[in-house]
C-alpha cells in the first residue's frame, strides 16, 4: 500500500515529522488503514478465525479517545477496484502474500491475517457508535485528500501515498497516533492525543530545492499500487548507484536528482532520454496519467456527510442504478458486489485453513452463483444494447492448494418465479419483501417456518448454519455444530446481560448463567490445542455467512443483519469443540438459565430438522 519504500524511509528519518497534539479538530480517517490497524491492536488469535467482540471493543475505545479530545472523525473507505481495474497486479500480489501468511499460521508459525468478516464488523461498529462514514465507488485516497483540504484538517492513515498529496492539514501516520495514551487534564486546552504529523516542507527541504509539485513524479517512478515501470529500471539503477549502497539509496538518489528541476514536465523530458525511442511516448503518457492519481478528487464528500448524496463521475459512467450507488456509499453493499457487477471479477480472501483441502470458499459457491445471477440481469441489458455475446461467467481469484488461482464461474439461473423483469437489478428494491426473502431462504435451503422459534436477529446465521451442514465437504461433525451453537447462545446471553436496550429481557437466572460461563472461560484459557480440520470447518461457516450477508444486503435485508461482535469468537468456538470431545456435559453450560437452555434446544432442533 502506497509508494514503495517511502514509509520505511520516513520512519527512519524522524526529522520529517513534527510532534503534534491532536484535539479540537475534524479528522479524516482512511477507514481501510484503521480497521487493519485496530484488528492487529486487539491482540486476537489470528489462527482461529477472529474475535469480533474484542475487535469491536477496540474500535469503541479508539473513537472514545477521539471523543475525549473533542476530535470529530469522518471515516472514508475504499470501495471497488474501479472500472479500469488498474490495481489488479498489486491486488494479486497482496492476495498471494496473505495466502503465504495464512499457510504459515496453519503450520504454527507467526504471521498476521485479517479475519474474514473484519470489515463488516467494523462498519457495524461505526453505525452503533454513530461515527459518520462513507464508502467510495473505488480507491478512496483522492477523495480523502479532497475532503481533508476542504476542511483544512489532518488525514489519519497508514498509506505513504499521503506523503505525496499536498495536504493543508498534514498527514498523521497511524503508527504514531497514540490513542491509548490520551494526555492532559481539565485545563483550558483540555485533553489531547500525542501524534506525529508528516511535514512535506521538511521533507522537500531535506533535498535542497525540491519542489512539492515533483513529488507525484517521484511516487510514480518509485512504483506504487498502480504502476511498475520496467522501462525505467536503467535510469533508476543509475540514480541509485550515485548514492552508494546505503539503505534507501534509490529513493534518496531519485529525490536528489529531481531537486534540479523546476516543474514535472522538465523532469519527465530528462527521464525519457534513458528510455528506448519506441517506448518514449507510451512511457510519457503513463507517467503523466499516473501523476494525476495524486491530485485531490473533486468528489464533494462534504456534501455526502451533509445530505447523504454521493456524486461521482466514474460511478455515473458505469451506468449503475442509483439505489446501488446510494447503498454502496452508505456501506449497505460490499465492494465484492460492486466488483462482481462492474468487472465480473472478485477476490475471495484466504483464511487460516487446511491448505490440502479445497478452499473454504468452495462451500459458499452456490450462494455466490445466485448473487452473480442477480447481478447478471443488470449487465445483460447493457450487453444486449452493445451486441456482446460474451458468456455469462465471473472470474474468481481464490486459493488452490498453496497458490492463488483464477477460476471462471457460471452465474446461477434464478429459480422459476424470480426470472421476470421485476427481478432486474434496477427494479430489485421494488420487488415485494416477501419474494426477496423467499429467494434468500430458497438459496440457503431453508423454509421460514423452520425459523419461527428463532429470534429474528439470529435467523440469518441459523439459516446459514443449515446451509453449511448440507453443503460442506467434508461433512460437519456433531461436536463442531454444537460448539458453534453454544457460541451463538453465549453471544445472546452476553447481549441480554450487558446491552441497556435488552435489560428488560434479563432475569437473575441469566446473570447467574453468564457469570458461571465467564468462570468456565477463565478456567479453560490454558487450552492451546489447535485442530486444523475444525478450523477449516469453521472457516467454511464464515464463508457461508459472508455470502449470506452479501446476498441479504443485495436483496435489501429481508432478514435482519446479525451483530457480528456477538456472533463469532474464534478462541471460544475452538475451546468448546475441544471440551465437547472430552466432556459432553459442557453442552449444559447454560442450563441455569431456562431461557438460554431453551434457545440452545431450539437452535439444535432447527438445524437438525
Amino acid at each position: 500500500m502506497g509508494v514503495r519504500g517511502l514509509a520505511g524511509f520516513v520512519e527512519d528519518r524522524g526529522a520529517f515529522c513534527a510532534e503534534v497534539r491532536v484535539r479540537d479538530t475534524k479528522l479524516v480517517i482512511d477507514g481501510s488503514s484503521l480497521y487493519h490497524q485496530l484488528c492487529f491492536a486487539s491482540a486476537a488469535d489470528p489462527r482461529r478465525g477472529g474475535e469480533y467482540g474484542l475487535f469491536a471493543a477496540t474500535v469503541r475505545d479508539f473513537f472514545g479517545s477521539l471523543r475525549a479530545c473533542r476530535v470529530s472523525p469522518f471515516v472514508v473507505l475504499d470501495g471497488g477496484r474501479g472500472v479500469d481495474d488498474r490495481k489488479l497486479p498489486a491486488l494479486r500480489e497482496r492476495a498471494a502474500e496473505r495466502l503465504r501468511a495464512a499457510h504459515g499460521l496453519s503450520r504454527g508459525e507467526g504471521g498476521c491475517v485479517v479475519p474474514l468478516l473484519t470489515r463488516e464488523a467494523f462498519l457495524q461498529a461505526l453505525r452503533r457508535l454513530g461515527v459518520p462514514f462513507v464508502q467510495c465507488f473505488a480507491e478512496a485516497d483522492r477523495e480523502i485528500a479532497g475532503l481533508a483540504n476542504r476542511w483544512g484538517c489532518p488525514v489519519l492513515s497508514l498509506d505513504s501515498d499521503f506523503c505525496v498529496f499536498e495536504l493543508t492539514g498534514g498527514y498523521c501516520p497511524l503508527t504514531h497516533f497514540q490513542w491509548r495514551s490520551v494526555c492532559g487534564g481539565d485545563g483550558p486546552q483540555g485533553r489531547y492525543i500525542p501524534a506525529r504529523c508528516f511535514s512535506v516542507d521538511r521533507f522537500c527541504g531535506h533535498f535542497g530545492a525540491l519542489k512539492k509539485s515533483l513529488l507525484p513524479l517521484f511516487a510514480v517512478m518509485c512504483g506504487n499500487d498502480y504502476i511498475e515501470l520496467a522501462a525505467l529500471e536503467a535510469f533508476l539503477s543509475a540514480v541509485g548507484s550515485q548514492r552508494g549502497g546505503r539503505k534507501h539509496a534509490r529513493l534518496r538518489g531519485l529525490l536528489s536528482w529531481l531537486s534540479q528541476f523546476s516543474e514535472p514536465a522538465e523532469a519527465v523530458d530528462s527521464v525519457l532520454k534513458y528510455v528506448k525511442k519506441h517506448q518514449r511516448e507510451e512511457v510519457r503518457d503513463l507517467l503523466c496519467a499516473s501523476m494525476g492519481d495524486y491530485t485531490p478528487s473533486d468528489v464533494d464528500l462534504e456534501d455526502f456527510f451533509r445530505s447523504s448524496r454521493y456524486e461521482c463521475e466514474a460511478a455515473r459512467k458505469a451506468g449503475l442504478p442509483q439505489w446501488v450507488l446510494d447503498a454502496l456509499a452508505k456501506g449497505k453493499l460490499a465492494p465484492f458486489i460492486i466488483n462482481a457487477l462492474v468487472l465480473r471479477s472478485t477476490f475471495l480472501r484466504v483464511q487460516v485453513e487446511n491448505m490440502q483441502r479445497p478452499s473454504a470458499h468452495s462451500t459458499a459457491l452456490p450462494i455466490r452463483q445466485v448473487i452473480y445471477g442477480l447481478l447478471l440481469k443488470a449487465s445483460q441489458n447493457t450487453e444486449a444494447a452493445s451486441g456482446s455475446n460474451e458468456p455469462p461467467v465471473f472470474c474468481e481469484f481464490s486459493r488452490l492448494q498453496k497458490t492463488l488461482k483464477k477460476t471462471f464461474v457460471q452465474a446461477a439461473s434464478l429459480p422459476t418465479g424470480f426470472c421476470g423483469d421485476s427481478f432486474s437489478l434496477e427494479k430489485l428494491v421494488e420487488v415485494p419483501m416477501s419474494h426477496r426473502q423467499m429467494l434468500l431462504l430458497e438459496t440457503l435451503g431453508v423454509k421460514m417456518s423452520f425459523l419461527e422459534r428463532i429470534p429474528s436477529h439470529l435467523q440469518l446465521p441459523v439459516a446459514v448454519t443449515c446451509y453449511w451442514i448440507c453443503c460442506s465437504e467434508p461433512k460437519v461433525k456433531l461436536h463442531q455444530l454444537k460448539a458453534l451453537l453454544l457460541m451463538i447462545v453465549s453471544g445472546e446471553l452476553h447481549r441480554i446481560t450487558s446491552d441497556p436496550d435488552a435489560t428488560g429481557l434479563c432475569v437473575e437466572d441469566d446473570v447467574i448463567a453468564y457469570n458461571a460461563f465467564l468462570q468456565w472461560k477463565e478456567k479453560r484459557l490454558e487450552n492451546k490445542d489447535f485442530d486444523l480440520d475444525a478450523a477449516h470447518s469453521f472457516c467454511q461457516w464464515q464463508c457461508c455467512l459472508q455470502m449470506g450477508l452479501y446476498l441479504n444486503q443485495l436483496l435489501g435485508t429481508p432478514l435482519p443483519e446479525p451483530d457480528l461482535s456477538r456472533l463469532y469468537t474464534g478462541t471460544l468456538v475452538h475451546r468448546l469443540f475441544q471440551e465437547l470431545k472430552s466432556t459432553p456435559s459442557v453442552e449444559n453450560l447454560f442450563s441455569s438459565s431456562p431461557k438460554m437452555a431453551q434457545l440452545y434446544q431450539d437452535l439444535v432442533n432447527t438445524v437438525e430438522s
Side-chain angles (χ1 to χ4, degrees), residues 212-229:
K212 295 178 191 177
S213 61
L214 288 158
L215 290 180
L217 178 59
F218 157 72
V220 170
M221 292 175 70
C222 280
N224 57 19
D225 283 350
Y226 288 111
I227 189 167
E228 182 67 70
L229 283 174

Side-chain angles (χ1 to χ4, degrees), residues 176-198:
H176 294 285
F177 192 76
Q178 300 176 53
W179 61 272
R180 291 195 194 271
S181 304
V182 172
C183 298
D186 300 321
Q189 291 186 304
R191 306 171 80 187
Y192 64 88
I193 296 172
R196 289 186 187 177
C197 188
F198 174 79

Side-chain angles (χ1 to χ4, degrees), residues 99-117:
L99 199 159
R100 287 191 289 272
H103 180 233
L105 284 164
S106 73
R107 292 157 55 92
E109 300 166 7
C112 288
V113 172
V114 174
L116 188 68
L117 299 172

Side-chain angles (χ1 to χ4, degrees), residues 150-176:
R150 187 178 290 267
W151 285 338
C153 69
V155 167
L156 183 67
S157 177
L158 276 176
D159 191 339
S160 60
D161 278 327
F162 291 109
C163 295
V164 178
F165 282 98
E166 195 161 341
L167 297 171
T168 309
Y171 156 54
C172 294
L174 258 166
T175 44
H176 294 285

Side-chain angles (χ1 to χ4, degrees), residues 51-62 125 128 179 565:
E51 311 280 323
Y52 298 120
L54 197 55
F55 171 68
T58 306
V59 174
R60 183 194 63 222
D61 293 346
F62 175 84
R128 276 195 302 274
W179 61 272
S565 70

